[in-house]
Amino acid sequence: MKYNPSLIEKKWQEKWSKLNVFKASIDKTKPKYYVLEMFPYPSGAIHMGHVRNYTLGDLVARYKKAQGFNVLHPMGWDAFGLPAENAAIENKTHPANWTYANIESMKTQLIRMGLSYDWDRELATCNPDYYKFEQKMFLDFFNAGIAYKKETLVNWDPIEQTVLANEQVIDGRGWRSGAKVEKKKMKGWFLKISDFADELLDEIDNLSNWPEKVKIMQKNWIGRSNGAIIKFSIENSPNNLKIFTTRPDTIFGATFIAISPQHELSKQIAQKDSKAAEFIKFCESHSIKEIDIEKAEKHGYETGLTVSHPFKNDVSLKIYIANFVLMDYGTGAIFGCPAHDQRDYDFAIKYSLDIIPVIKTGETLPFMGDGPHINSNFLNNLNTEEAKILCIKKLSELGIGEEKVTYRIRDWGVSRQRYWGCPIPVICCDECGEVPVPIEQLPISLPQDVDLNKKGNPLENHNNWKKTKCPKCNKNAIRETDTFDTFFESSWYFARFTDINPSTPFSEEAIKYWMPVDQYIGGVEHAVMHLLYSRFFMRALKYVNIINIEEPFISLQTQGMVCHQTFKTKNKKWLHPNKVRKEDNEYFHVDTKEPVIAGRIEKMSKSKKNVVDPQQIIENFGADTARLFMLSDSPPNRDMEWSSSGVEGSWRFLNKLWKFVINLPKDKKLKKLPINLSKKNQELISIMHRTINDVTKAIDEFHFNLAVASIRSLFNALSSYEINEDDDKIVVIHVTENLLILINPMVPHLAEELWSKLENKGIISNENWPKVDLSYIQKNSVKIPIQVNGKVRAVVEIPIDSNKNDIKEIALKEENVVKFLKTSPKKVIIIPNRVVNFVV
RNA sequence: GCGAGCGUGGCGGAAUGGUAGACGCACUGGACUUAAAAUCCAGAGUCCGAUAAGGACGUGGGGGUUCAAGUCCCCCCGCUCGUACCA
């Protein structure tokens, strides 16, 4: 009988579903385990990144179930977002139709992979049954002062008359119109994440099961810094200019002042100075992307205004309006110290400003390190930290400055001028301002009839929908036509999964039992935004008494990308891998037979055509092969390369395993292990226990590729084992059954089928994880290297825990060691059970 | 620009500061076959050496700490992710 994955995989998927094997419900007699993979955007078809993510999560879910946990493993759809609108315009369909059709086809694909989801908890964020709850949450935030409206800058496409996403701005131009993008001021809704900045920052240290890199990135993103506000008095004017600096110690090196084009003072200047107005306009003829702002050439406009230096009586500093000063950080104004800051240095060179070093260094300027201060009056000889403290003290005494903590993080702008998102439940009244929609009127559903081809915001164009009455004064008013950022939906979906009842977002009981998520898995690209917003959202919900947790994810794992070799034709056009054939290390086009240029291995992307369709792999090899390859090749957190030969290797292994088990002798009586094991059986059992130990450890540490490697080793031992007696049969079947339980989380369909072939009653998905018998894995001898000057000259096997003298004696008997020991050693290093090193 | 991560044979990757290359892929040789595929067995970092024994070199590059460095520290190079309206 041949291994036929498509047959057995379908069979077991149906069986699991029929038996409700993965249906989760609260059971207080068992410890719970909530495993969650980041839910997908329903783009239409799963890609290899999904396959990887969901295979990792499924392994964890099945493994934890075997370990006796009550597992919750749900799946849903991050269904709002920009692509649906673009697709709707291109394909002349409705975003809802497109999205729901995509969900259906992707769900079919996920089911085909054999993932152990409790599909009863499926949700789609574009469904009013989901987003109605977040409208209520928003109103609670609004009433608690967490949500507010303010003016902000957006990317404006003057031709399309629409706001563009950063993604839609390419080289400063709109992706469809090609028009130069402008910054435009617009009012939008914000959530006060900055109020929670300290807590979000401080609690990072308690996230002990998060990758260090993610924690560092979040810390830097929040960017708490201790600095100072300094008031500079503007010369020939009664007014002050407040600047923020993280380096008050360099105040004596200050040679200019720069303010943001959006600064209040810039506006005032522009009113009287048309050139200044022009310069500000020039600064606003760019996108709002940080990367564009930072990489842009530094420009400044000399305003003619000056301030006096707080500690240097006769020195005045020119005020510039500068394109690189951000209004959102600090006070939107800085002093420039060119000697000790790269940007200030570049600016000073460009505008021929003074460069005054205030830290002693032998190195070239700008110097960003620490050292004794010079040219700094009362700060001389102090280091940076001391000088900061003293400078702030002096500023406060003079009443012209104070210590100030600032944050890099800005409040979360949740407004989007888009159709396919959750409507923001507010009514804008000329008389009463922003009025919350009364709760009994929720949900505010999206209108179905909408014209996406018109310029501008579709909801704003929709007169019927937007016109309403003010709940307060009953006069004519209009609805808020902005919709939520889709990060809003993904900031609480994990809580909704715990209990999808129709009347409340979740129940207290379910939250108490299931939350927080024990293991969250997703791409590293979400390291900051999605994960930080979710952490904030839980705190905000707690603040308004909707939930009682702070940290949503106890343990986090971030997976790397799935990559593939790229190919180009000789005309430099990207070529799909299945159009390429390799012969004698040369690549050829399948159709034209022309040589093909093999390029770099890069992240799979449609634009470079280096994609492999999971569907195709599953049809050709089965889900188990795809899953096994995903797990066996690379550690989860690293990028992996998809290679067809690697897939074939996994396929071959499963075939070998299949054939091996099918051909085992079957005898129901052969179940109980004999009491006295022969030496060879003891050895096999001991390999098995070592494997159980290694696989368990590898899975716990998220090194799934090592788990696969150990299982393969165990199988190598099994397949070279010779069965002679009845006892041997029992031992082999016993070891094989344990191997199947170990491999079940990886290739569950094959494991189920073979488990049933071994005439077991229940299903393997309900079996318990095998226990390690430590007595089998203790060794009584150890191989250690003997080094001379750090180079290995011999390897000896000695009893474990031998004393140092014995080890030395054995080592000195080695011929090759003696050969290199021309004189008696100066020093002998003996680390028991590890190494011997003779230093000569 | 800024923040973060990664870099080990032909390839994916193993390796509590202690034998670098586990396990696999590709490759080479052999067995089976009329033949091929599949399967099974064996070999293998590079160089010197005889295909041996043994040795030299070797973890992106350069320097350092240590009896001992892929691992720790400093500098540099390359790639990847994020950079607030893609999700």
Side-chain angles (χ1 to χ4, degrees), chain A residues 46 71 172 180 233 266 304 360 668 678 726:
Chain A
I46 59 169
V71 171
K180 263 205 136 188
S233 60
S266 300
K360 202 174 170 184
K668 273 195 182 164
S678 65
D726 268 3

Side-chain angles (χ1 to χ4, degrees), chain A residues 154 195 275 366 369 494 591 596 742 757 767:
Chain A
V154 294
D195 275 6
K275 280 195 176 159
F494 40 87
D591 305 329
V596 162
L742 293 178
K757 288 274 189 284
E767 282 299 311

Side-chain angles (χ1 to χ4, degrees), chain A residues 20-272:
Chain A
N20 281 324
V21 183
F22 305 114
K23 192 165 164 45
S25 54
I26 292 176
D27 176 355
K28 288 181 181 159
T29 64
K30 276 182 172 178
K32 66 95 184 182
Y33 197 90
Y34 183 2
V35 55
L36 183 68
E37 300 103 64
M38 290 181 184
F39 67 163
Y41 180 79
S43 57
I46 59 169
H47 55 65
M48 283 300 176
H50 295 128
V51 174
R52 190 173 195 200
N53 194 177
Y54 304 150
T55 300
L56 299 174
D58 200 50
L59 185 154
V60 174
R62 290 171 182 270
Y63 166 70
K64 288 291 173 182
K65 178 174 160 61
Q67 285 197 323
F69 288 90
N70 186 26
V71 171
L72 173 60
H73 188 210
M75 181 43 73
W77 310 96
D78 190 12
F80 272 139
L82 200 49
E85 286 186 48
N86 295 328
I89 293 168
E90 273 170 41
N91 308 330
K92 298 201 166 36
T93 166
H94 192 275
N97 296 339
W98 184 83
T99 302
Y100 282 109
N102 286 349
I103 287 174
E104 195 159 319
S105 53
M106 282 175 80
K107 186 176 175 182
T108 309
Q109 289 185 300
L110 293 186
I111 289 171
R112 184 61 190 83
M113 278 182 65
L115 302 167
S116 63
Y117 295 126
D118 177 358
W119 283 107
D120 290 351
R121 292 167 191 263
E122 181 183 4
L123 60 83
T125 57
C126 62
N127 190 326
D129 286 342
Y130 180 83
Y131 68 69
K132 66 182 178 188
F133 296 119
E134 65 189 37
Q135 292 181 335
K136 168 75 168 46
M137 290 171 190
F138 177 83
L139 293 180
D140 287 337
F141 293 161
F142 178 81
N143 292 328
I146 295 175
Y148 67 100
K149 205 168 191 184
K150 74 166 179 185
E151 202 162 67
T152 182
L153 292 173
V154 294
N155 298 309
W156 183 255
D157 185 320
I159 292 183
E160 291 201 12
Q161 295 282 299
T162 51
V163 177
L164 296 180
N166 280 338
E167 187 197 42
Q168 297 172 310
V169 179
I170 294 158
D171 296 329
R173 291 174 182 277
W175 68 346
R176 264 199 269 265
S177 72
K180 263 205 136 188
V181 169
E182 297 166 5
K183 287 193 185 86
K184 186 180 173 174
K185 285 184 199 96
M186 196 171 262
K187 281 190 107 183
W189 289 96
F190 283 79
L191 298 187
K192 272 194 187 164
I193 193 171
S194 59
D195 275 6
F196 296 78
D198 279 318
E199 196 189 333
L200 287 167
L201 181 67
D202 296 338
E203 287 301 313
I204 289 173
D205 288 330
N206 294 328
L207 296 171
S208 52
N209 289 313
W210 278 40
E212 213 52 43
K213 61 175 172 181
V214 174
K215 296 201 279 185
I216 294 168
M217 281 189 266
Q218 291 208 356
K219 282 183 183 176
N220 291 335
W221 184 268
I222 294 169
R224 179 165 64 196
S225 53
N226 273 294
I229 297 269
I230 304 176
K231 267 193 270 182
F232 284 81
S233 60
I234 300 173
E235 290 176 327
N236 306 317
S237 151
N239 297 328
N240 290 321
L241 179 64
K242 276 188 185 172
I243 68 96
F244 172 75
T245 178
T246 57
R247 293 294 303 273
D249 60 299
T250 62
I251 183 70
F252 287 91
T255 58
F256 68 95
I257 298 286
I259 59 175
S260 162
Q262 286 84 43
H263 196 279
E264 196 48 44
L265 183 58
S266 300
K267 287 180 198 165
Q268 287 170 20
I269 293 164
Q271 277 170 10
K272 293 176 204 147

Side-chain angles (χ1 to χ4, degrees), chain A residues 568-571 575-576 578-583 586-597:
Chain A
K568 278 185 180 176
T569 64
K570 62 175 187 181
N571 301 326
L575 199 57
H576 197 274
N578 65 17
K579 290 279 171 199
V580 178
R581 186 172 296 146
K582 190 179 180 182
E583 273 168 41
E586 306 261 352
Y587 294 97
F588 295 95
H589 195 295
V590 191
D591 305 329
T592 65
K593 310 286 182 228
E594 282 180 343
V596 162
I597 305 156

Side-chain angles (χ1 to χ4, degrees), chain A residues 319-581:
Chain A
I319 300 179
Y320 285 81
I321 300 172
N323 62 346
F324 61 89
V325 181
L326 304 173
M327 193 57 223
D328 293 309
Y329 185 68
T331 60
I334 60 152
F335 75 71
C337 175
H340 304 292
D341 182 281
Q342 183 69 52
R343 270 197 316 202
D344 297 349
Y345 184 85
D346 297 343
F347 193 81
I349 293 289
K350 183 164 178 178
Y351 294 99
S352 308
L353 298 163
D354 290 343
I355 297 168
I356 304 170
V358 290
I359 295 170
K360 202 174 170 184
T361 170
E363 294 175 45
T364 50
L365 297 178
F367 171 70
M368 270 75 81
D370 199 355
H373 281 52
I374 52 170
N375 301 327
S376 292
N377 192 331
F378 60 91
L379 300 177
N380 279 339
N381 298 319
L382 301 177
N383 67 23
T384 296
E385 207 42 50
E386 295 159 349
K388 272 185 185 178
I389 293 166
L390 184 60
C391 181
I392 291 168
K393 191 170 165 245
K394 204 83 168 195
L395 288 165
S396 328
E397 279 168 14
L398 294 169
I400 54 167
E402 61 188 355
E403 186 173 9
K404 171 81 177 171
V405 177
T406 43
Y407 302 85
R408 204 188 73 98
I409 194 171
R410 307 197 293 262
D411 277 343
W412 174 15
V414 293
S415 274
R416 296 292 180 271
Q417 295 70 36
R418 305 264 159 66
Y419 167 69
W420 196 233
C422 171
I424 299 179
V426 171
I427 291 163
C428 312
C429 172
D430 285 341
E431 306 271 323
C432 314
E434 321 292 350
V435 183
V437 170
I439 285 168
E440 61 276 10
Q441 287 178 25
L442 296 184
I444 303 300
S445 299
L446 281 173
Q448 275 295 302
D449 54 323
V450 68
D451 186 355
L452 296 168
N453 292 301
K454 260 199 205 162
K455 288 175 177 178
N457 178 353
L459 289 181
E460 203 168 8
N461 292 336
H462 196 298
N463 280 323
N464 284 343
W465 183 82
K466 84 173 175 186
K467 281 185 182 160
T468 184
K469 299 278 180 203
C470 172
K472 259 191 193 166
C473 66
N474 209 33
K475 285 194 183 134
N476 286 338
I478 56 162
R479 294 192 184 285
E480 173 60 73
T481 56
D482 287 354
T483 52
F484 283 136
D485 174 10
T486 56
F487 278 127
F488 208 103
E489 281 83 52
S490 57
S491 290
W492 70 282
Y493 77 106
F494 40 87
R496 176 73 182 146
F497 275 140
T498 63
D499 179 6
I500 51 144
N501 79 77
S503 52
T504 57
F506 29 73
S507 69
E508 205 183 321
E509 189 198 13
I511 292 294
K512 201 171 168 195
Y513 181 78
W514 289 115
M515 285 297 286
V517 175
D518 294 278
Q519 181 65 65
Y520 196 36
I521 309 167
V524 70
E525 65 270 21
H526 293 293
V528 175
M529 304 195 70
H530 161 58
L531 290 165
L532 191 58
Y533 287 146
S534 298
R535 294 182 60 222
F536 155 68
F537 213 87
M538 288 304 105
R539 288 172 166 82
L541 288 179
K542 190 182 177 193
Y543 187 78
V544 295
N545 295 316
I546 293 181
I547 206 165
N548 193 25
I549 60 159
E550 279 126 29
E551 290 297 340
F553 315 118
I554 291 179
S555 178
L556 174 73
Q557 290 288 343
T558 55
Q559 88 197 42
M561 293 172 305
V562 183
C563 304
H564 195 280
Q565 177 133 40
T566 53
F567 297 103
K568 278 185 180 176
T569 64
K570 62 175 187 181
N571 301 326
K572 300 279 162 71
K573 285 202 168 149
W574 298 107
L575 199 57
H576 197 274
N578 65 17
K579 290 279 171 199
V580 178
R581 186 172 296 146

Side-chain angles (χ1 to χ4, degrees), chain A residues 779-784 796-801 832-834:
Chain A
K779 287 183 174 175
N780 40 29
S781 72
V782 64
K783 278 183 188 168
I784 66 164
V796 294
E797 183 156 6
I798 54 168
I800 210 152
D801 295 332
N833 301 332
R834 285 244 172 253

